Amino acid sequence: MFHAHGYAAHDSHSPLVPFTFERRAPGVNDVVIDILYTGVCHSDLHQAQDDWGGSLYPMVPGHEIIGRVTQVGSGVHKFKVGDLAGVGCMVDSCRHCSACKEDLEVYCEEGPTVTYNGRERVSGQPTFGGYSDIIVVDEHFVVKVSPELDLKAVAPLLCAGITTYSPLRHWKVGPGQKVGVIGLGGLGHMGVKFAKALGATVVMITTSPDKGKDAQRLGADEVLLSTDPAAMKAHGNSFDFLLNTIPVSHDINPYLALLRRDRTMAMVGVLTELDPPPAGINLIMGRKSVAGSAIGGMKETQEMMDFCAEHGIVSEVEMIAIQDINQAYERLVKNDVKYRFVIDMASLKNEVS
Amino acid sequence: MFHAHGYAAHDSHSPLVPFTFERRAPGVNDVVIDILYTGVCHSDLHQAQDDWGGSLYPMVPGHEIIGRVTQVGSGVHKFKVGDLAGVGCMVDSCRHCSACKEDLEVYCEEGPTVTYNGRERVSGQPTFGGYSDIIVVDEHFVVKVSPELDLKAVAPLLCAGITTYSPLRHWKVGPGQKVGVIGLGGLGHMGVKFAKALGATVVMITTSPDKGKDAQRLGADEVLLSTDPAAMKAHGNSFDFLLNTIPVSHDINPYLALLRRDRTMAMVGVLTELDPPPAGINLIMGRKSVAGSAIGGMKETQEMMDFCAEHGIVSEVEMIAIQDINQAYERLVKNDVKYRFVIDMASLKNEVS
């Protein structure tokens, strides 16, 4: 076993504080990773605060993890000591259901084992995430990372990246298509970059003219202000795909009006009720669809990492020290980040050394 | 021009009464139809009562029309005098948009001309529907009807039939699939028959054990009572397709839980808000979709009529006289019909002769 250091929430309302815990000894298929950078996902805050219920404490959040391999089990094939490695939202799944067999572990019928705030499948021990100095993960749930990319800006690809890449691929976004990305945050800014790299004409749909400008800097071809009824009407029935990254309950009806016949809006941000509710007529007239999409499977996560290396895609990040995590959470609530906080884990290692 | 007789609503709250009006003289592409039977769709009542706003009075409802051709324009190719003919929800469309070019006139980008409570494209004159003795329609919007079927039970195929057939075909329902039909009424009972004829295993999903039994008589393989939480749980994540025919606002979340990963629930009944609202998580976990579907195009409507002739499929009907229409509306409100009222138009002809 390894003595690990990290930062943990001990209940739903107190700040995260330093925490010492144990990582399992590496099994045959395990990779031991020295963590370099961990992205701060909004869901870290939701779970630390128990917004969705069922949170397990103490909780070490973090599921956008980049590090270097320091040890490998005897059955490990993909990695050797010294390799760069990435870990995302899952660290295990049942491996035998139809979803797992189709490389869609996130949809595992028994439920994937999440990187933190979950329990190990066999031992039932709580899982601890990436706000820590070390992690031990089965190599199936570890992806290779290109040394060509700016590593600190790679971390958010493991959640924000794959969550937006997967639906764009699943609904076959490509050249000749007009694609709207709704909302510019951790997810939305990756959606813009991916949709552009996939060859689509990309429209940023936002309430904020400032975000609109920033989206154009990131590659958006056009900005549609959802607060402008005339502009919304002018874009009616014109989109081939909409990626809706808004993380809170909102009215999707105006966005349905933007879709062309037989097209889909994929929801990736909001888990709660879509209130006010969508009206049947807005789906029926035009045979439109509202779908959801969760992260992505491990095979597709590796494909995304390779796509990013090929196209030079990384996240826009603001670096913080682990000691600043509670302040970062406060800013996250105010949507005050462009577009992802990433923890430089050297700050943790300096603290405990 | 033809002097036509029918029954009309003159405002949103009075009974339908006898009404005399004019039909246009047949143009080059027009077919004149002597109406034999007209089905009573729940939307007739909604529009007569102006439930959706914008109703045009006087209004002659009716868009499930079966009759015999009495006259044809010089350019008519499909029909000759004496042929049986069917008219559904549309009598015209723009003919040049992408939807019209793809035989999906119902999704016409300029909006199809509806059979009643609409306006003719060129003249702007109001359209009058099938609660009448005669109708004049462009042959493109008239389908051929097999003399082998029970004609009075064919009428509802023109709306209830195509509205359920089209989504079952669009989402490729067939052998080896488990398909749920939600709600047993005018639409639902056709959904059961079509899904069964297409080779699927059909589950009737209803709140009513009596309706469940009736659905089995109509071909359903199994009944799932949506009021039984244990049964709903047992069927969780097991359906390949859901056809939701419920015509009023309802909670779709329990039905989303029935869908397998990557599968779709198509809404065909409810035009209003889906309240309580669906939750994003119920779409995201399993990459599920909620879609809408409207009627069907003319090519598909003919395909459906031919499919019905081949498989001996007709609607379950209760015959009424036109003089009973207001009483039938009262029973419709109480859901007291198995499963479609059809007006025998001889009753109108006797009245006016």
Side-chain angles (χ1 to χ4, degrees):
Chain A
M1 288 205 285
F2 296 96
H3 291 290
H5 301 90
Y7 266 59
H10 285 77
D11 55 50
S12 65
H13 51 276
S14 305
L16 272 64
V17 292
F19 176 62
T20 304
F21 59 104
E22 286 182 342
R23 295 288 191 187
R24 70 168 183 257
V28 171
N29 300 311
D30 284 344
V31 172
V32 182
I33 298 167
D34 176 59
I35 300 178
L36 299 171
Y37 303 108
T38 298
V40 179
C41 177
H42 207 121
S43 67
D44 295 349
L45 176 56
H46 282 304
Q47 292 177 83
Q49 294 182 342
D50 200 19
D51 289 342
W52 300 331
S55 283
L56 303 173
Y57 299 102
M59 180 193 302
V60 177
H63 59 206
E64 299 181 338
I65 301 166
I66 293 293
R68 201 173 285 280
V69 174
T70 58
Q71 194 174 329
V72 295
S74 60
V76 168
H77 300 292
K78 281 197 301 188
F79 296 93
K80 61 180 192 303
V81 172
D83 282 353
L84 291 169
V87 177
C89 303
M90 306 177 282
V91 290
D92 203 357
S93 69
C94 83
R95 320 284 184 105
H96 54 69
C97 74
S98 71
C100 287
K101 285 184 178 168
E102 292 174 39
D103 297 311
L104 293 166
E105 300 90 345
V106 64
Y107 302 116
C108 172
E109 289 167 17
E110 298 182 7
T113 302
V114 292
T115 303
Y116 70 88
N117 195 25
R119 289 191 182 278
E120 302 274 2
R121 298 189 99 74
V122 178
S123 70
Q125 292 297 307
T127 55
F128 294 117
Y131 294 6
S132 59
D133 54 359
I134 191 171
I135 193 166
V136 181
V137 182
D138 186 303
E139 69 164 337
H140 183 78
F141 292 86
V142 183
V143 294
K144 289 171 165 287
V145 177
S146 165
E148 303 294 316
L149 293 172
D150 180 4
L151 290 183
K152 62 186 185 297
V154 169
L157 299 177
L158 276 305
C159 171
I162 186 63
T163 299
T164 50
Y165 180 84
S166 181
L168 291 168
R169 296 288 289 170
H170 183 69
W171 278 281
K172 303 188 194 314
V173 162
Q177 292 182 19
K178 179 177 171 182
V179 169
V181 177
I182 306 171
L184 188 68
L187 296 180
H189 92 287
M190 291 310 308
V192 168
K193 291 188 179 199
F194 284 133
K196 189 67 190 170
L198 287 165
T201 298
V202 180
V203 180
M204 179 74 233
I205 305 172
T206 173
T207 58
S208 156
D210 281 349
K211 285 205 173 182
K213 276 183 201 150
D214 218 30
Q216 287 181 304
R217 181 179 63 81
L218 298 173
D221 297 284
E222 198 174 340
V223 176
L224 170 56
L225 293 178
S226 57
T227 49
D228 178 348
M232 288 292 279
K233 192 170 179 190
H235 282 270
N237 299 302
S238 72
F239 283 87
D240 292 290
F241 183 70
L242 291 173
L243 182 68
N244 186 329
T245 73
I246 300 176
V248 295
S249 184
H250 63 282
D251 186 358
I252 65 170
N253 290 294
Y255 303 121
L256 291 175
L258 297 176
L259 282 176
R260 291 179 63 190
R261 169 172 52 83
D262 287 322
R263 302 306 199 275
T264 295
M265 173 164 67
M267 314 294 297
V268 294
V270 59
L271 304 182
T272 55
E273 286 191 343
L274 298 168
D275 197 23
I281 188 74
N282 295 333
L283 295 168
I284 288 172
M285 290 321 299
R287 197 160 56 184
K288 299 172 181 180
S289 294
V290 182
S293 179
I295 324 177
M298 292 315 301
K299 184 178 171 188
E300 196 174 46
T301 305
Q302 185 64 63
E303 177 192 309
M304 181 237 8
M305 294 297 278
D306 298 344
F307 183 88
C308 287
E310 187 187 340
H311 292 267
I313 293 174
V314 291
S315 188
E316 307 285 303
V317 302
E318 177 179 339
M319 299 306 295
I320 61 167
I322 187 74
Q323 294 79 9
D324 299 330
I325 186 64
N326 297 297
Q327 191 188 343
Y329 277 3
E330 285 170 25
R331 287 180 54 196
L332 213 53
V333 172
K334 291 182 280 190
N335 203 11
D336 174 25
V337 57
K338 285 180 179 175
Y339 281 93
R340 208 65 154 181
F341 290 117
V342 171
I343 307 167
D344 183 344
M345 217 50 75
S347 61
L348 174 66
K349 293 166 192 168
N350 291 338
E351 178 178 298
V352 299
S353 64
Chain B
M1 289 206 285
F2 297 95
H3 291 290
H5 301 88
Y7 265 59
H10 285 77
D11 55 50
S12 65
H13 51 276
S14 305
L16 272 63
V17 294
F19 176 63
T20 305
F21 59 103
E22 287 183 340
R23 294 288 194 188
R24 69 168 183 256
V28 171
N29 300 310
D30 283 345
V31 172
V32 182
I33 299 167
D34 177 60
I35 300 177
L36 299 170
Y37 303 108
T38 298
V40 178
C41 178
H42 208 122
S43 67
D44 296 350
L45 175 56
H46 282 303
Q47 291 177 83
Q49 294 182 344
D50 199 19
D51 289 342
W52 300 332
S55 283
L56 302 173
Y57 300 102
M59 181 194 302
V60 177
H63 58 208
E64 297 181 339
I65 301 166
I66 293 293
R68 201 172 285 281
V69 174
T70 58
Q71 196 175 327
V72 296
S74 59
V76 167
H77 300 292
K78 282 196 302 189
F79 296 93
K80 61 181 193 301
V81 171
D83 282 353
L84 291 169
V87 177
C89 303
M90 303 176 283
V91 290
D92 204 356
S93 68
C94 83
R95 320 284 184 104
H96 54 69
C97 73
S98 71
C100 288
K101 286 184 178 167
E102 292 174 40
D103 297 310
L104 293 166
E105 300 89 344
V106 65
Y107 302 116
C108 172
E109 289 167 17
E110 299 181 6
T113 302
V114 291
T115 303
Y116 70 88
N117 195 25
R119 291 192 181 277
E120 303 274 2
R121 296 188 101 72
V122 178
S123 71
Q125 292 295 308
T127 56
F128 294 117
Y131 294 6
S132 60
D133 53 0
I134 191 172
I135 194 167
V136 182
V137 182
D138 186 303
E139 70 163 337
H140 184 77
F141 292 86
V142 184
V143 294
K144 290 171 164 290
V145 176
S146 166
E148 303 295 316
L149 294 171
D150 181 4
L151 289 184
K152 62 185 186 297
V154 170
L157 299 178
L158 275 305
C159 171
I162 185 63
T163 299
T164 49
Y165 180 84
S166 181
L168 291 168
R169 296 288 287 171
H170 182 70
W171 279 280
K172 303 188 193 313
V173 162
Q177 292 181 18
K178 178 177 173 182
V179 170
V181 177
I182 306 171
L184 189 68
L187 297 180
H189 92 288
M190 292 309 307
V192 168
K193 291 188 179 200
F194 284 133
K196 188 67 189 169
L198 288 166
T201 299
V202 181
V203 180
M204 180 73 232
I205 305 172
T206 173
T207 57
S208 156
D210 282 349
K211 286 206 173 183
K213 276 183 201 149
D214 219 31
Q216 287 180 304
R217 181 180 62 80
L218 299 173
D221 298 284
E222 197 175 341
V223 176
L224 170 56
L225 293 178
S226 56
T227 49
D228 179 346
M232 288 291 279
K233 192 171 178 188
H235 281 271
N237 300 302
S238 72
F239 283 86
D240 292 291
F241 183 71
L242 291 173
L243 182 68
N244 185 328
T245 75
I246 299 176
V248 294
S249 185
H250 63 283
D251 186 358
I252 64 170
N253 289 294
Y255 304 120
L256 290 175
L258 298 175
L259 282 175
R260 291 180 62 190
R261 170 173 51 84
D262 287 323
R263 302 305 199 275
T264 295
M265 173 163 67
M267 315 294 298
V268 294
V270 58
L271 304 182
T272 55
E273 286 190 345
L274 299 167
D275 197 23
I281 189 74
N282 295 332
L283 296 167
I284 288 172
M285 290 321 299
R287 199 161 52 184
K288 298 172 181 179
S289 294
V290 182
S293 179
I295 322 174
M298 293 315 302
K299 183 178 172 188
E300 195 173 48
T301 305
Q302 186 63 64
E303 177 192 310
M304 180 241 3
M305 294 297 280
D306 299 344
F307 183 89
C308 287
E310 185 188 342
H311 293 266
I313 293 174
V314 291
S315 189
E316 307 285 301
V317 302
E318 178 179 338
M319 299 305 295
I320 62 167
I322 187 75
Q323 295 79 10
D324 300 329
I325 186 64
N326 297 298
Q327 193 187 342
Y329 278 2
E330 285 170 24
R331 288 181 52 197
L332 213 52
V333 171
K334 291 182 279 191
N335 204 10
D336 174 25
V337 57
K338 285 180 179 173
Y339 282 93
R340 209 63 155 180
F341 290 118
V342 172
I343 307 166
D344 184 344
M345 218 49 75
S347 61
L348 174 67
K349 292 165 191 169
N350 291 339
E351 178 179 296
V352 298
S353 64

